[in-house]
Amino acid sequence: NALLPHQLFSFFPILAPAVFKFYDGLSQFTCPPSFIMSKKKALELFPQLSQQDIKYCAVFYEGQHNDARTNLAIAMSAAEKGADIANYVEMTDGIFDEGGKVIGVRAVDRVSGEEFSIYAKNVIFAGGPFTDTLRQKEHRGNPLDMKPAVHGASGSHIVLPGYYAPSNMGLLDYNTSDGRFLFFLPWQGSVIVGTTDKKGPAETLPYPPEAEIQWMLKEVSKYLSKDLKVRRSDVLSAWRGWRPLAADPHAPPGGQVSRDHVISQNPETGVTFM
């Protein structure tokens, strides 16, 4: 069974043109259309590629955005509408009324050490992969009785110098040695490689395991020219992030785990989490 995905991917070179036309259709054909590129043209535009195994290239268009700027824009938009924005502030406990409803939180400034209380009509947890850690602080029963709402999956990335790829074209490796997808893309003057996908509890430190860095370097070297030596010293930066895989703990049994989102309210405390 472990070999089945690799066997199926062996048909992808034949199916790729049709698959990417379907992909074009998902955008209602608002993006430039996908097309076939000859080996000669591919090596002209992407000279970093190895010549050995190229038969042809299927080219398609993807969207790209800077998620750090997106997060900053959301925070600034909220502040513009009157929200108070606080960084390095951690919730330490909930504030409960006599009926067990959460009416605020106790918090600590991790820079100054100051502790304070925040009262609100509604409390929303938007903790991503750390949501269950927040939920434990508003759960008054046995911690073992609290059904998890989020399972984490980590993805590691590395950044390589810009000369590893042309400035306007990247590469998708859909059949790596262990079956995971790997993107190899120009990014702000450099080249970003990722991501891995590994289930596990979320951590606050963003350092990726060295084994994953080495795995990405090894995979990258397979399709690059032998003249371009892939070295560990070329890694300009590396980090690991966690994506939340969500499930509604208050939903009926058999609910789906989602990569999209879940909005749920604890009927006992009144806290909503996303």
Side-chain angles (χ1 to χ4, degrees):
N1 290 339
L3 295 176
L4 185 57
H6 296 269
Q7 294 168 354
L8 291 177
F9 278 131
S10 66
F11 293 99
F12 192 74
I14 302 172
L15 301 175
V19 170
F20 287 136
K21 284 303 177 185
F22 171 76
Y23 198 68
D24 292 345
L26 295 180
S27 70
Q28 298 181 343
F29 299 99
T30 56
C31 294
S34 58
F35 61 94
I36 299 300
M37 182 183 293
S38 68
K39 175 180 179 177
K40 180 180 178 181
K41 188 65 175 179
L43 292 174
E44 177 184 330
L45 298 179
F46 205 142
Q48 296 89 339
L49 290 176
S50 170
Q51 301 184 33
Q52 183 176 356
D53 297 321
I54 297 179
K55 305 301 181 185
Y56 76 92
C57 289
V59 182
F60 69 103
Y61 289 81
E62 267 281 14
Q64 190 177 72
H65 84 291
N66 187 322
D67 54 350
R69 292 189 65 180
T70 299
N71 290 336
L72 184 59
I74 292 171
M76 293 177 67
S77 297
E80 188 178 35
K81 299 296 183 180
D84 292 319
I85 307 297
N87 204 10
Y88 297 104
V89 173
E90 179 184 350
M91 169 193 168
T92 57
D93 201 1
I95 301 175
F96 297 81
D97 64 13
E98 295 180 354
K101 298 292 185 181
V102 173
I103 56 175
V105 300
R106 305 193 193 282
V108 58
D109 185 327
R110 284 301 180 187
V111 176
S112 66
E114 177 188 2
E115 298 182 359
F116 50 93
S117 299
I118 305 171
Y119 290 88
K121 295 179 180 179
N122 295 287
V123 175
I124 299 173
F125 293 159
F130 302 98
T131 296
D132 283 341
T133 303
L134 296 173
R135 292 177 58 233
Q136 288 173 355
K137 296 174 181 178
E138 55 106 11
H139 180 73
R140 286 311 189 191
N142 187 334
L144 298 177
D145 294 335
M146 190 190 81
K147 296 180 180 179
V150 175
H151 301 281
S154 67
S156 296
H157 306 74
I158 59 174
V159 175
L160 298 172
Y163 60 76
Y164 269 81
S167 61
N168 61 347
M169 182 175 290
L171 183 147
L172 165 63
D173 184 357
Y174 60 84
N175 192 19
T176 59
S177 59
D178 63 5
R180 291 182 287 185
F181 278 33
L182 195 66
F183 288 90
F184 181 84
L185 304 170
W187 178 254
Q188 298 187 349
S190 300
V191 173
I192 188 170
V193 182
T195 173
T196 59
D197 190 4
K198 188 176 182 180
K199 303 290 190 299
E203 302 174 12
T204 55
L205 294 177
Y207 308 121
E210 179 63 26
E212 294 202 349
I213 295 176
Q214 294 293 342
W215 179 82
M216 285 186 278
L217 291 174
K218 182 179 178 181
E219 295 298 322
V220 162
S221 66
K222 293 178 180 179
Y223 44 76
L224 293 180
S225 169
K226 299 302 180 184
D227 295 331
L228 185 57
K229 303 298 183 183
V230 180
R231 300 168 297 185
R232 176 63 175 83
S233 58
D234 284 341
V235 177
L236 304 177
S237 64
W239 74 94
R240 178 170 55 161
W242 274 263
R243 61 180 65 85
L245 306 178
D248 187 349
H250 305 124
Q256 295 291 320
V257 174
S258 172
R259 286 180 180 264
D260 190 7
H261 71 277
V262 166
I263 299 176
S264 180
Q265 184 177 63
N266 187 336
E268 298 178 0
T269 65
V271 171
T272 299
F273 73 84
M274 303 174 66

